[in-house]
Amino acid sequence: MDFPFQAASLLPLLPIDASAHGPAIDHHLLLNIWVILALAALAHLILLIGLVARRRPEATSWRVEYLPLTALAVLFAFLTIRAERLWAEARYTGAEPSALQVQVTGEQFAWYFRYPGTDAIFGVTKPQLIDAGAGNPLGIDPNDSHGADDLVTSELVLPADRQVDLRLNALDVIHGFSVPEMRLKQNAVPGMTIHVHFTPKIPGTYAILCTQVCGLGHYRMNANLRVLPPDEFAAWLAAKQKTVQP
Amino acid sequence: MPSTITPTSTEPKRKNHVEDHDNGSGRRPPTDKRTGGGGEGDNYGDRSQGNHGPRERLVRYRMGIFFALASDLMFFVAIVSSFFVSQSTGHFDAYNNYVNEWTVTTIPPILWLNTAVLILSSITMEIARRRMFHEVDVMDEWLGLGKPITRRAIPWIAVTAVLGVVFLVGQWIAWEQLAMQHVFFLSNPSSHFFYLITGVHGIHLILGIFGLMAALIGLYVSRSLESRQIMVDCASWYWHSMGVFWMFLFVLLVFFQ
Amino acid sequence: MNLSKSPEKLRYLFTTDHRIIGIQYLILALTSVTIGTILSLLMRIHLVWPDRILPFYGPILPEDYLAMVTIHGTIMLFFVLTTAPQSGFGNLILPAQIGARRMAFPVANAIGFWLTATALLILLSSTFVPRGSPISGWTAYPPFSAVASAGPGQGLGMDLWLASIALFAIASSIGGINTLVTIIKLRCKGMTWERLPLTVWGWFTAALLSVLAFSVLLAALLLLFCDRHAGTSFFVPTGDIVNGAIHAAGHPGNGSPLLWLHLFWFFGHPEVYIAILPGLGLTSMLLANFSRRRVFAYRTMIVTTLLIGFLGILLWGHHMFVAGLNPFAASAFAVSTMAIAIPASAKVLSWLATVWRSRPHYTTPMLFSLGFVSLFILGGLSGPILAQPILDEYLHNTFFVIAHFHLIMALAAVFGLFAGTYYWFPLMTGRMMSETLGRLHFWGTLLGAYATFLPMHLTGLMGEPRHYAQLTGVSNAAGHLLAGTLPLNRFITWSAIFLSTAQLFFFANLLYSLFRGSPAPPNPWQATTLEWHPAMHPNFPLEASEIVENPIAVYRQPCQYQPTPTGELFLPQWSPDATVDIKPE
Ligand code: HEA
Ligand code: HEA
Ligand code: CUA
Ligand SMILES: [Cu+2]
């Protein structure tokens, strides 16, 4: 759907909005902010007028309470319904089959990104094999054929305009995978694999932050998200593939 | 220093003369059930100690114990819900097949016996409690004709305490038996919970037995009839609910693993 | 004044008198809040000038920052906002307001206080053990909090934290039980349920929540303790690797970190309402008292208080929208959370209607109550935004959340405390607090509060996450994003310094009024609630006999005013004379 205005432009505070589902969220966020600003202003106005105006016998009519209350109830209900719609769009359904598969793994204090490679299947991993020093930070099992062509990177590189299906997990403690420019946030919980999907739109380099306190390096646990035009992405992927299976 | 509040003594002064037959159960005969307080007229809460309504203190302590037990119930509810959660969570092992280490802990048969013992102890406790409120005898004590109730209640409480100890020993044996079959606390999630639940409940029972002991001693030393009633009453309500909790936990361990 | 000197002073220290215990709680809260405030300043300063050297300490390391955040949050939430309103004023004022001479269980009451004090000491002691205090925040999410090697402070420090919070939980449950029984059984003649002051309703609901919630926390702490020391894994999944070592490698069992989140927040959300409920009640009463009006829609206010308490139990999931909660559950929790905005709005409306065209008396307590209204609206309105999962997905764990709960909790609830202190000081000491200092304190705190916490919404919208030890010296695009928030953050820090300095007026006022304050008339505010009943006046405690002669009785709802011969509006709850034209609504 399209909007009368590009919300982000009205709210220069927000980082630019580079995902397909982003504008809808910004729009709704903006609506909310206007609503509560209005409510807060109105409430304070009523308060101040009430304080300065001459004394009057007290109000006793129930209308003073219940009419505004129903109005507020309707307002909040309206916001809830809109929000739930967007949430359902974003989260209720899984990614489409054609989506690009990437595995995101958090550990103190780095993000690792794993592409399934040419066979489009992730190889088996074993905690015992994990050894960042030896270049196997995720513990990919060498005996597993699927694992051979998997490539692991420390920056997330994605093609524009193609849906991505991220499977998030963590090795040690809970981390928070957050990409402000994509309006995306989801905790990576050890022992769970959580899927989130989105479609990057605008090519560029964006920040990936950790938003769940995970230790003394929490503040510097970040990575870059590079969104490339499809052809450049293909080139990059091919180059990478060479490095693992010449 | 400004005129700050001076602490008032909130505790009743020990009366070391019993002649006036004021046993703290109020001037009215203890058979009268009016409690006062709670905004319904007569504010006993306002009176000096010893001038209270007949059952006011009793009701107050009972209510306290009930709220405490409600909070304790939430404690067990939390543990039981964790039981179900970790029962249902498995994980994918190295070969991507789903495993759930939850292996059902076979309940040592002796637990059935223990349960029976606990029920029995609840019954004896209830008898003791009933004795404490037996109208005629209460009247006698209030008039100062000896301590008939207390005499009759003491043995029952003692029996309850003994049964409680028997139960605990039984639980211990159950643990021993499990250990025989090499099921230890750390063996698997189910055994974690078996030991945790029985353990925590055991600690509650130990507290309960201390409570009974306190009540026994109280029955000997305390002059105030109402205090004695209160001690037995609270101890027994606590004891009963530990029994009920155990029934639930037992059912959980037997049927819901 | 040095207690524990003579046995006479010991009577003050180990008393079972609820009023003294209440004051002890308040002193404990004041000490805690001082520590918490100093920590918050260190945090703010480190955030914007990371390489400042702390005198006698050296540079502040990232783990130090996280430790400060954790202790700041724990102290402020537990030892200030749970003790001061609920246990402090709860003991000092509650029995008097229902016309009772004592709490139901005085000894348990004293035990509760000493448990709390011990808990505080244990918590603070964690600073001095090797590797320092825990760094996992006041929510202590496992596995971070379950594995000692996960970070400095997660060893002994974390154990001390667990012990401290466990003691605190027990103490609060005891206190809750005591409060409930007192309110139910010790109300004086004529004090029917709908005549109870709203403050009492606040304490009552908060006590219910404490009784239900704290024992759940206790269970969670027990399980976490087993994970840390008994080799179980309730919260730690299989094959969890921390620092290259697999946790509890030998032992089977696949725990779920989410289990902790559920248990903790089932407690955690009621906990934050425990912090605010007494404040809500007090505000309603004070606004009515100083505008010489009845509380608008009194019955509705009682209902909404209970409703907020009840709903408060059903919406813990709104802290877990993006924590791995199933999206459908998230939707459900979103609805229950939005629902609570309605009783809250009802309260705001009642406040507005109560003061509407009333030309109130602007005493310091009144000013702080008005401030409470403003802060509650500003902080509360951001609640419904966070309650919408799709928006929380962007705002979760950003400073927007920090702004939300500092406005509504840190400041609104604290304003309740201030109002209470200025209002009840005469009952504690028989002296009034200085109005001029009070006014200075009010305006300083209000402006400071706005200047400190409103801009935090903006840095939050820019995407500044919580628990970040530094905003500078971060690599990648993230560094760019964080650097963008620096100018605002500097402003916030300066305002925080201003805000904290404004608190000096408060402490100055306390000391000054304690010794030099003008003597208080029996009922300085024309208050209608029972704690101001002559027989309740602390300075002239009546003899038991006199009390029996003229038992306190209540004839009407609080805050019903009618003209007196002197022209003042006044009609206390205890006055038997018939009302002219006030029909109970
Ligand atoms: C009551 C709760 C409370 C209070 C008062 C405060 C007060 C302040 N807090 Fe804090 N804060 C929390 C509760 C509170 N906070 C919590 C729970 C967290 C989260 C921790 C975590 O993530 O684990 C947090 C986190 C937190 C952060 C986020 C850290 C991070 O995640 O990176 C920051 C950063 O700016 C901050 C700053 C401040 C500041 C500047 C104040 C200033 O307002 C300080 C000025 C002080 C006052 C205005 C209080 C004066 C009050 C009195 C004198 C009371 C009177 C007492 C009686 C009458 C008995 N706080
Ligand atoms: C006193 C404490 C307190 C109170 C009262 C509240 C009140 C509310 N809180 Fe808050 N909250 C916290 C303390 C509190 N909160 C804390 C400490 C955290 C962080 C915990 C952590 O992670 O460390 C938190 C976090 C938090 C989150 C999670 C954010 C996240 O982590 O991503 C959410 C999400 O739904 C939320 C929602 C709400 C809502 C809907 C209310 C509602 O009750 C608000 C109701 C009030 C209103 C709706 C305002 C009413 C006024 C009007 C409607 C104006 C009327 C207008 C006219 C008359 C014209 N809170
Ligand atoms: Cu990883 Cu914070
Ligand atoms: Cu909440």
Side-chain angles (χ1 to χ4, degrees), chain B residues 202-219:
Chain B
I203 294 171
H204 277 83
L205 266 195
I206 293 174
L207 292 180
I209 291 177
F210 284 142
L212 292 178
M213 295 301 169
L216 278 177
I217 299 167
L219 284 184

Side-chain angles (χ1 to χ4, degrees), chain C residues 40 51 84 133 159 242 257 260 459 470 505:
Chain C
S40 74
D51 30 48
S133 312
D159 290 327
V242 181
W260 168 270
T459 61
Q470 297 180 18
F505 287 121

Side-chain angles (χ1 to χ4, degrees), chain C residues 25-27 29-30 33 36-37 40-41 43-44 47 65 69-70 72-74 76-77 80-81 84 89 136-139 399 402 405-406 409-411 414 417-418 421 445 452-453 456 465-469 492 496 499-500 503 506-507:
Chain C
Y25 269 115
L26 289 184
I27 294 172
L30 272 172
V33 84
T37 304
S40 74
L41 288 181
M43 281 148 52
R44 281 314 311 180
L47 212 49
Y65 178 82
V69 175
T70 306
H72 167 78
T74 315
M76 289 292 202
L77 201 44
V80 177
L81 274 201
F89 288 128
S136 44
W138 80 283
T139 56
F399 263 66
I402 302 283
F405 70 77
H406 276 87
M409 177 174 72
L411 268 303
V414 161
L417 285 179
F418 286 137
T421 317
T445 313
T452 310
F453 296 113
M456 280 190 189
R466 300 170 62 175
H467 301 117
Y468 266 29
I492 294 176
L499 170 60
S500 312
Q503 303 316 310
F506 179 66
F507 288 93

Side-chain angles (χ1 to χ4, degrees), chain B residues 1-11 35-49 51-52 56 59-65 67-76 78-79 81-82 85-86 89-91 99-102 185-189 192-193 196 200, chain C residues 1 11-12 15-17 19-20 23 92 99 101-102 104-107 173 177 180-181 184-191 208 211-212 215-216 218-219 222-223 226 230-234 238 251-254 256 259 263 266 427-431 514-515 538-539 541 544 547-548 551-552:
Chain B
M1 196 52 215
S3 61
T4 38
I5 305 160
T6 47
T8 57
S9 67
T10 50
E11 289 315 282
T35 64
E40 74 238 5
D42 208 355
N43 19 350
Y44 292 107
D46 229 10
R47 305 250 181 121
S48 63
Q49 285 288 351
N51 264 349
H52 285 258
E56 190 232 340
V59 173
R60 205 196 312 154
Y61 278 91
R62 225 182 238 173
M63 186 175 284
I65 255 315
F67 279 121
L69 289 167
S71 140
D72 203 20
L73 179 63
M74 287 307 287
F75 178 84
F76 281 106
I79 290 194
S81 40
S82 321
V85 169
S86 85
T89 48
H91 67 99
V99 294
N100 182 344
E101 271 124 348
W102 184 280
F185 178 62
L186 285 180
S187 300
N188 74 77
H192 297 343
F193 276 103
L196 196 71
V200 172
Chain C
M1 61 179 184
R11 257 189 71 223
Y12 273 96
T15 176
T16 53
D17 176 6
R19 293 167 306 174
I20 308 291
I23 291 180
L92 192 63
R101 291 279 148 199
R102 59 187 76 77
F105 308 112
V107 179
S173 315
I177 294 165
L180 287 174
V181 178
I184 296 175
K185 289 315 297 177
L186 266 52
R187 281 171 294 131
C188 72
K189 178 174 187 180
M191 182 56 87
L208 273 176
V211 168
L212 292 182
S215 43
V216 174
L218 210 54
L222 176 66
L223 296 182
C226 291
T232 62
S233 42
F234 295 112
T238 321
H251 309 312
N254 22 51
S256 125
L259 174 57
L263 292 175
F266 182 88
L427 279 185
M428 293 185 244
T429 64
R431 293 172 186 267
L514 194 58
F515 298 101
N539 304 339
I547 299 161
V548 179
I552 301 170

Side-chain angles (χ1 to χ4, degrees), chain C residues 383-464:
Chain C
I385 292 192
L386 293 167
Q388 304 168 32
I390 194 68
L391 301 182
D392 189 53
E393 178 178 8
Y394 180 68
L395 296 170
H396 177 63
N397 277 355
T398 64
F399 263 66
F400 194 89
V401 178
I402 302 283
H404 157 69
F405 70 77
H406 276 87
L407 277 178
I408 198 167
M409 177 174 72
L411 268 303
V414 161
F415 266 45
L417 285 179
F418 286 137
T421 317
Y422 284 98
Y423 186 68
W424 284 316
F425 194 78
L427 279 185
M428 293 185 244
T429 64
R431 293 172 186 267
M432 308 292 290
M433 284 182 86
S434 147
E435 282 288 313
T436 27
L437 279 174
R439 283 207 164 67
L440 283 171
H441 175 222
F442 169 74
W443 289 111
T445 313
L446 191 72
L447 299 181
Y450 289 154
T452 310
F453 296 113
L454 290 177
M456 280 190 189
H457 292 97
L458 305 182
T459 61
L461 286 169
M462 293 181 187
E464 180 193 2

Side-chain angles (χ1 to χ4, degrees), chain A residues 39 42-43 72 76, chain C residues 138 265 272-273 276 318-319 337 340-341 344-345 348-349 352 376-377 380-381 383-384 386-387 392 396-397 401 404-405 408-409 466:
Chain A
L39 281 181
L42 182 58
L72 285 168
F76 288 132
Chain C
W138 80 283
W265 285 119
V272 301
Y273 282 146
I276 197 81
H318 66 216
H319 297 272
T337 308
I340 207 167
S345 314
V348 174
L349 284 162
L352 296 182
F376 185 82
I377 292 173
L381 278 171
L386 293 167
D392 189 53
H396 177 63
N397 277 355
V401 178
H404 157 69
F405 70 77
I408 198 167
M409 177 174 72
R466 300 170 62 175

